[in-house]
Amino acid sequence: MTHDIVIADDDETIREIVEFKLDGPDRSVTAFENGRECWEHLESNGSPNLIVLDVMMPGLTGLQVLERIREDDDLSSVPVIMLTSRGREEHVVEGFERGATDYMTKPFSPNELVARVNSRLR
């Protein structure tokens, strides 16, 4: 079984690291550089198994994409991991209040991200 993972981060280096670490024989990773492209993909391609979102992105922020995901009947149950430099307590609380499944702050451990993704894909 192949797990479909969608990533959205405006930082090309972060996107490449996350894509490299998460891509594999049982995973298909699709990456976007902004929230609008990510949302358009989700609307037209259906429900992936997991989504990783940066908060601060052009077009739509990660929180705006997250809100749309949680309001969409087809996407509302998809796990969403926020991966962001916004790490103050109120930012983390806001992410969870808006429906994030998990929240990681940058700089981050790619191996920890893989572990968190693996725990959500079981």
Side-chain angles (χ1 to χ4, degrees), residues 10 21 47 51-53 59 81 85 100 103-104 106 114 116-117 120 122:
D10 62 334
K21 291 299 284 187
S47 181
I51 302 166
V52 179
L53 293 175
I81 298 174
S85 58
Y103 198 101
M104 289 185 68
K106 299 174 186 174
V114 170
R116 289 176 187 239
V117 167
R120 299 294 175 192
R122 291 178 201 206

Side-chain angles (χ1 to χ4, degrees), residues 30-47:
T30 307
F32 299 95
E33 66 182 32
N34 65 60
R36 187 163 314 285
E37 289 177 359
C38 177
W39 177 246
E40 288 170 358
H41 172 81
L42 293 170
E43 277 189 309
S44 61
N45 291 286
S47 181

Side-chain angles (χ1 to χ4, degrees), residues 4-6 42 45-51 75 78-79:
D4 293 318
I5 300 172
V6 170
L42 293 170
N45 291 286
S47 181
N49 299 102
L50 185 127
I51 302 166
L75 299 170
V78 176

Side-chain angles (χ1 to χ4, degrees), residues 73-94:
D73 290 339
D74 296 327
L75 299 170
S76 63
S77 64
V78 176
V80 177
I81 298 174
M82 304 306 293
L83 180 63
T84 178
S85 58
R86 294 178 53 108
R88 293 190 5 215
E89 180 181 7
E90 60 265 26
H91 299 142
V92 176
V93 169
E94 180 182 21

